[in-house]
Every structure is written in structure tokens, then in C-alpha cells.
Amino acid sequence: GENVEQHPSTLSVQEGDSAVIKCTYSDSASNYFPWYKQELGKGPQLIIDIRSNVGEKKDQRIAVTLNKTAKHFSLHITETQPEDSAVYFCAASISSGNKLVFGAGTILRVKS
Amino acid sequence: GAVVSQHPSRVICKSGTSVKIECRSLDFQATTMFWYRQFPKQSLMLMATSNEGSKATYEQGVEKDKFLINHASLTLSTLTVTSAHPEDSSFYICSARRTAEAFFGQGTRLTVV
């Protein structure tokens, strides 16, 4: 089955700097890769996703890149703000209906 | 984005009683919903896949008689924790997929005393 590894487990950055979180997956059949932000005591919130037919997707300060050959994808947050502090999870699945397999999560702390 | 509503957000119950958690997709129909359990500082652990009109599919190690799942309509799935014990205390989260995208409920903090 699919296995997703996520690094780093914790990440501290200064406000205004960039943050990068990386994930690798094992199943070459996976074609959907979402990223979630989870704040304390809340459910995960979808912040960006990418499908296997594109290599990069950007939404304001957030971008995701995908390397299908190497089976890894990354989340990039630019101009970080204190409100970006949260736990971030990557996931992988085959589109539509199949379960998501999650990474272990990254605690991001943005210091002001 | 799509909205998935989960209720209640917090519940405290006595050992031996049962607790029902509801998960609703508010603006789309979901033939499949997912139930997760999350321990502090850990990732989401899939418990079961809820299928509308049929039996749920449970992950290995999850007791189906303890965690009863009902998916009676295209917008509602329920998780009932039966005969709850303190070790069942946890954060439970549901999810529904609209095509590829999966949206999550707000989560339910269950405390069994």
C-alpha cells in the first residue's frame, strides 16, 4: 500500500522568511496530493492540492511542486506570518473515492 | 471550499455509555465518508470508510462492534462509540470527498470519565 513520509517534523522560521515542507510517496499510481493545515483543536483544512498531470501550482503565498519521477512533492510558504503557525500534513491518494494516506505532520512555528 | 459539519465538537461521557457523532456534508452529496482518530501530536489514523447504503469498511485493528458506523443518506454519516472507556478518549474527525478533494469536519473531542 501507499506510504507517505514527511519532513521535517518541526520547523521554526522568522516572520517573513520562507518555509518548505517535503513529502515522499511510494505508490506510483497515486495521482492526487493535497496539503492540509490543522490548528489546535480543529479539523484539517485543505490549503492547496496538486494532481499528477502538473508540476507546480501556486495560490498567493502558497505553492506546491511535484516530481513524479522522484515521487516527492513539497509545500512552499513565502513571506510567512505568525498566523501560518500550525501543523501541516501532506497526503497522497488515487483520485476520487480512495482513502488518503497522510504524512506524519510538520509543526510550523513562525516567530515574530 | 465545500463544508463538512461535525457535531458535537466536544462531549464528555461516563464509562459504559455510548456516544454518537454526526458528520454532514452541507453542500454536496458524499457516497463515501471517512472516520479518523487523532492522538495528541500525531497524524490522522483512518478508522473506517463509511459507504452510503452499505456496510462500512474498517481498518485493521479497529473493532467494528465498538465503533458503529451508519451512512443512511448521501449527506450524513454517524459514528457511535459503544460502551465507551477512558482509553476511547480522543479526537475524532470525519471527512468527505467531493471528486478528488477531501474536506474535513471540525472534529469531536471525546472525553470518557
Side-chain angles (χ1 to χ4, degrees):
Chain A
E2 175 67 279
N3 181 53
V4 177
E5 295 191 357
Q6 182 172 344
H7 299 280
S9 56
T10 60
L11 178 60
S12 290
V13 299
Q14 201 67 34
E15 181 178 0
D17 289 349
S18 296
V20 180
I21 303 171
K22 298 181 179 181
C23 288
T24 60
Y25 62 100
S26 61
D27 190 346
S28 57
S30 290
N31 58 7
Y32 177 66
F33 308 94
W35 286 89
Y36 291 89
K37 176 184 181 182
Q38 186 178 28
E39 296 177 335
L40 193 63
K42 298 183 179 180
Q45 177 189 6
L46 178 67
I47 57 171
I48 197 167
D49 58 14
I50 192 167
R51 289 164 174 75
S52 60
N53 58 346
V54 297
E56 183 174 1
K57 183 177 178 180
K58 191 173 182 180
D59 182 4
Q60 298 182 335
R61 296 187 296 110
I62 296 173
V64 56
T65 58
L66 171 65
N67 183 326
K68 285 171 54 180
T69 304
K71 293 198 196 117
H72 65 70
F73 56 112
S74 300
L75 177 70
H76 304 253
I77 305 174
T78 59
E79 301 172 27
T80 54
Q81 301 166 5
E83 50 265 39
D84 293 330
S85 296
V87 181
Y88 291 81
F89 292 98
C90 64
S93 84
I94 300 171
S95 294
S96 249
N98 282 299
K99 59 188 179 184
L100 290 171
V101 178
F102 283 88
T106 296
I107 300 171
L108 174 64
R109 296 192 184 93
V110 180
K111 298 175 286 186
S112 56
Chain B
V3 179
V4 174
S5 178
Q6 187 172 340
H7 178 81
S9 58
R10 292 177 177 272
V11 58
I12 300 173
C13 71
K14 293 183 177 180
S15 288
T17 61
S18 296
V19 173
K20 180 185 284 188
I21 303 169
E22 292 186 349
C23 181
R24 296 180 183 274
S25 56
L26 297 185
D27 55 357
F28 66 100
Q29 294 181 332
T31 56
T32 304
M33 291 185 177
F34 304 87
W35 286 96
Y36 295 84
R37 184 173 180 176
Q38 187 176 35
F39 293 101
K41 298 184 179 181
Q42 292 191 22
S43 189
L44 289 79
M45 182 188 77
L46 181 65
M47 299 174 63
T49 301
S50 170
N51 304 298
E52 188 268 336
S54 65
K55 293 183 179 180
T57 304
Y58 290 82
E59 295 299 302
Q60 192 172 10
V62 177
E63 300 176 59
K64 62 179 181 180
D65 294 330
K66 179 161 192 62
F67 298 100
L68 299 180
I69 291 173
N70 183 275
H71 194 152
S73 78
L74 289 172
T75 58
L76 174 64
S77 175
T78 60
L79 169 68
T80 301
V81 183
T82 63
S83 186
H85 289 96
E87 55 266 31
D88 298 325
S89 298
S90 193
F91 193 56
Y92 294 87
I93 314 172
C94 70
S95 169
R97 293 191 79 165
R98 183 184 66 186
T99 58
E101 300 149 313
F103 298 94
F104 286 81
Q106 307 94 316
T108 297
R109 172 70 60 192
L110 171 63
T111 304
V112 184
V113 297

